[in-house]
Amino acid sequence: MLQKELEFEEHLDVTRDNTYYKVIIVGGGPAGIATSITLSSMGISNCIVEATIEPTRKCGEAIPPNAKPILKQLGMLHLVENPRHIEYYGNKVCWGSESLEQKEFIQGIHGHGYLLDRLYFEKQLREQIKSNGTAFYEGYKLNTVSRSNAAVEVVISNMLTEITINGSYIVDATGRKASVCRKLGVYKTAIDSQFAVTFSVKTTSVVRQEIMVETTENGWWYVAPDGTNQYTLMFFTTKDEIPKKEELEAFLKKELVCLQHISKILNPIICDFEKIRIMPAGTSCLDVPYGDQWIAVGDAAYAYDPVSSYGITSALASGFYAGKALGSYFSGEEDAMSVYRYILENAFQSYMEKLIKYYSTETRWKESLYWKDRFLNISHKMV
Ligand SMILES: Cc1cc2nc3c(=O)[nH]c(=O)nc-3n(C[C@H](O)[C@H](O)[C@H](O)COP(=O)(O)OP(=O)(O)OC[C@H]3O[C@@H](n4cnc5c(N)ncnc54)[C@H](O)[C@@H]3O)c2cc1C
């Protein structure tokens, strides 16, 4: 062990939370918070453990109109009806042909969606929890999870303190990493190897308050407004296409040249290549989203391709249904967890069918590593 780590351990204040929580939720993103709100509404004691001290900027800001019913159920609709979030009415998409098409939501029963100020939204979620009086361990990471005699013991720590928490059930709301599941020896299946390369660009022209999507030979681009003079750009491609760090800037410049429509709105641009982030952005799932004294919600259970804009809505919905399932289970309904599984699996199955169909509409680059392998991979895993 390194000398520094040894010094740390010597100074670590080891303590125990004497409250016995019925449910311990690890992860304070949309899924974890929706679970907590649902449990609290039924009078079920719970606490949240979240690794970051303050909300950080996450990728993903578009929520479609059909997110409104779940936001309403969770008592969160007022959070998005805030001037920091923009009403949005559809996407401009170039997919499968050269033309750019406007895909409107407004004809649907739920009207418009929202372009979230994501950092602000995450702050709002935390405030909601804090105002409920829920125990919220911010800046604490999960160290260990152990289970015995229908009880769960969780050890968490930050730089100074190690705390032991006891409860009956643990919720994995840690996002794509599914950290709780991993610690319990349960692993997700990656359906594909899509990654996102994200960065921001400044522009002197007026920023359009809309989402644009455009396919190119090696993947697809997503552009969203970020404030008044900036766009967030994301390039989705296969992991194998992404070069080493030193070559990233040149790679992105080369890929940007391939754009026909998005390039028009970006002109003139100043690329902030300093802040390039690379992250997994494919589809992944657990075989079963629950087990012995644990349940997974949000991306930890099912992570969706961002082309679907399902991520945040599904995270909220799975948190809501997991909370309800736990409530029923604690009241003696043995089947509650399998009902939860049924709801999530059906939604995922329907998403997969739509995803395959959608990707198959882009047929222009039959030899491209991204388009060819991607579709084959997904189809193969669905059989
Ligand atoms: C590039 C990209 C673009 C996207 N675009 C969209 C979009 O436009 N619309 C949309 O709806 N979705 C989008 N998504 C998906 C969306 O962001 C996620 O689906 C959503 O954030 C999932 O919520 P969650 O609560 O499950 O996980 P997360 O939001 O990832 O929250 C998990 C939380 O757990 C914490 N945590 C992790 N490990 C630990 C640990 N060991 N101990 C304690 N805490 C821990 C993390 O700090 C984090 O706060 C996008 C995703 C990507 C990658």
Side-chain angles (χ1 to χ4, degrees), residues 26-33 49-52 56 58-64 118 122 126 140-143 173-177 179-180 183 196 198 211 222 234 236 279-281 297-300 302-306 308-316 318:
V26 187
I33 289 195
V49 178
E50 164 56 46
T52 56
T56 50
K58 292 177 183 169
C59 281
E61 51 287 297
I63 53 169
R118 184 72 194 265
E122 296 281 329
R126 289 202 192 186
Y140 283 86
K141 269 198 166 171
L142 174 71
N143 288 354
T174 59
R176 282 180 178 265
K177 286 186 290 181
S179 303
V180 175
K183 292 210 187 280
T198 79
I211 301 275
Y222 170 104
M234 299 180 197
F236 294 87
M279 63 198 78
V297 293
D299 280 8
Y302 292 94
Y304 294 91
D305 186 321
S308 66
S309 291
Y310 280 4
I312 300 167
T313 315
S314 299
L316 294 170
S318 64

